[in-house]
Amino acid sequence: NDSFLRGDFTAEDEKELSLRPATLGEFLGQPSLKENLSVFIRAARERGEALDHLFLAGPPGLGKTTLAGIVAAEMKAEFKATSAPALDKPKDLAGILTSLTENSVFFIDEIHRLKPVVEEMLYIAMEDNEIDWVIGQGPAARTIRIQIPHFTLIGATTKAGQVAGPLYSRFGISFRMNFYETADLEKIIRRTAGILETSVTPGAVARLAMSARGTPRVANRLLKRMRDFAQILGKSGDGTVTEKIVEEGLGRLEIDEYGLERLDRQILATIISRYNGGPVGAETLAISVGEAIESLEDFYEPYLIQRGFLQRTPRGRMVTDLAYEHLKIEAGERSAD
Ligand code: ATP
């Protein structure tokens, strides 16, 4: 896997859990989200109540899991995390809900993937702090209601549009996370470099932030790879990540000044050469570039759209003039295709 933007949590990330900010103050960027959230947290704490259920939507790697952990820490509450595919049966969910402590934070990642039977149990738990539990079988079966502790559900998703209305409506707080500003990414890179005890020149920080796709996770991963290049290929011998190292490193990883990877460019080039610039349906496009549709929609498209290379229209995906320009395809070649 040569991609820097995949959302998967890798073994390497696991080792670097210390990179995760632990408090809202350490969480950089996303100013309006942070301000509002800190008010809601303080208010709930003053009342001695659990925070209202919180919905977080946005592309992978923007810190949704990190933020959920921070909410628990700020609420001084216990934190439990799982993801929807792990909650296969109602009993999986019931097992967690009945073991929660009062006012704890329960995080479900990929909440758009919950099965309907599990989702139904969650509705009642969110609203009434109870679950329906069926005991016995056949004609002797009966349902009992079990009281569960008050808790804060934090649901995260990359696909807000796929979350069922009745589920979404039970969240009292909802934030859509956006890609980070370059200035905030610079701060995140400097913070990470400090924790990793790596020295990075200001020019290198700026260049990395530009290529980090507005995503802290990508920024941190790129920094780690540049640290490798600096250590092995650096001329200075002290492992400093310089702008020159970053230029060379990004070149070797085929990441351009917009943060586009090879597959991003392949997506744009495919739409141009095979579909005349589009529109082309997402499924057809995914097959053409040999990627799963999920990763196309979750990892690649949001950034291409945000940077103005791609448009989503009712008839499918279309490239913009900027894509032609970036791939250096002249108008003549366009019509010649
Ligand atoms: P998501 O759940 O949205 O996919 P995530 O929460 O899993 O994202 P992380 O893997 O936690 O993303 O984030 C990757 C790394 O980026 C974290 O280890 C953390 O160091 C860093 N990070 C994320 N957001 C921030 C932030 N706002 N400020 C500082 N560091 C951040």
Side-chain angles (χ1 to χ4, degrees):
N1 184 352
D2 62 350
S3 173
F4 273 82
L5 47 130
R6 302 280 185 157
D8 317 340
F9 193 76
T10 65
E12 186 182 43
D13 293 329
E14 189 83 51
K15 270 188 253 147
E16 314 259 9
L17 274 181
S18 60
L19 292 183
R20 281 206 164 165
T23 63
L24 215 45
E26 277 179 82
F27 190 83
L28 303 164
Q30 310 283 346
S32 84
L33 180 158
K34 255 188 329 200
E35 249 170 64
N36 289 326
L37 190 56
S38 100
V39 171
F40 302 148
I41 289 175
R42 275 169 52 197
R45 277 190 59 184
E46 270 181 33
R47 293 193 301 264
E49 289 173 1
L51 182 72
D52 211 340
H53 303 304
L54 169 64
F55 184 81
L56 296 174
L62 296 193
K64 296 185 291 296
T65 309
T66 302
L67 202 56
I70 288 174
V71 168
E74 298 274 351
M75 291 297 295
K76 303 203 187 322
E78 209 172 284
F79 183 57
K80 273 214 175 133
T82 188
S83 80
L87 300 170
D88 189 41
K89 300 207 171 69
K91 80 168 183 346
D92 301 323
L93 178 62
I96 297 179
L97 290 175
T98 52
S99 70
L100 293 175
T101 54
E102 186 66 16
N103 291 354
S104 58
V105 171
F106 177 35
F107 176 69
I108 305 181
D109 204 1
E110 298 187 74
I111 195 147
H112 61 279
R113 293 176 66 183
L114 280 180
K115 290 190 174 159
V117 279
V118 177
E119 208 166 275
E120 251 161 66
M121 175 180 275
L122 194 58
Y123 292 161
I124 301 170
M126 289 171 80
E127 219 157 67
D128 304 328
N129 292 101
E130 286 177 346
I131 54 175
D132 280 335
W133 192 246
V134 183
I135 49 173
Q137 276 183 354
R142 62 196 176 93
T143 305
I144 53 167
R145 284 221 147 182
I146 301 173
Q147 198 73 33
I148 57 163
H150 293 97
F151 68 104
T152 299
L153 179 70
I154 302 185
T157 182
T158 53
K159 295 189 189 316
Q162 288 184 17
V163 174
L167 177 59
Y168 181 72
S169 68
R170 285 172 168 83
F171 288 93
I173 310 170
S174 168
F175 292 117
R176 186 172 290 270
M177 294 183 79
N178 297 316
F179 288 113
Y180 286 65
E181 304 286 339
T182 311
D184 293 327
L185 289 168
E186 290 193 15
K187 286 186 206 149
I188 291 171
I189 292 167
R190 275 191 237 108
R191 176 177 176 275
T192 302
I195 295 169
L196 297 176
E197 299 181 12
T198 299
S199 80
V200 194
T201 66
V205 171
R207 188 68 182 73
L208 279 174
M210 254 169 59
S211 294
R213 306 179 75 95
T215 306
R217 186 189 287 156
V218 174
N220 286 346
R221 286 190 180 166
L222 284 180
L223 175 64
K224 287 186 209 161
R225 296 294 74 81
M226 297 309 131
R227 179 177 64 157
D228 295 341
F229 284 126
Q231 189 182 322
I232 303 303
L233 309 173
K235 298 275 188 296
S236 65
D238 65 354
T240 298
V241 176
T242 61
E243 203 172 339
K244 194 156 175 290
I245 292 279
V246 172
E247 280 301 333
E248 188 182 338
L250 292 177
R252 284 176 181 239
L253 297 173
E254 298 179 60
I255 294 169
D256 64 33
E257 68 275 20
Y258 286 99
L260 303 193
E261 295 182 359
R262 193 174 36 194
L263 197 87
D264 293 298
R265 290 187 296 270
Q266 197 188 325
I267 290 166
L268 299 177
T270 302
I271 300 176
I272 290 172
S273 66
R274 297 191 40 191
Y275 304 101
N276 250 315
V280 53
E283 251 164 81
T284 311
L285 181 59
I287 293 166
S288 302
V289 298
E291 264 295 320
I293 185 155
E294 291 78 29
S295 76
L296 181 76
E297 290 186 330
D298 282 8
F299 304 124
Y300 296 99
E301 283 189 349
Y303 183 71
L304 288 172
I305 291 169
Q306 197 255 352
R307 288 307 300 254
F309 290 111
L310 192 68
Q311 277 178 329
R312 227 179 239 166
T313 74
R315 287 160 58 226
R317 277 59 173 168
M318 287 180 76
V319 295
T320 62
D321 285 346
L322 189 63
Y324 283 99
E325 221 170 274
H326 185 55
L327 298 181
K328 311 246 176 348
I329 296 171
E330 303 298 331
E333 292 172 52
R334 290 187 216 184
S335 41
D337 189 59

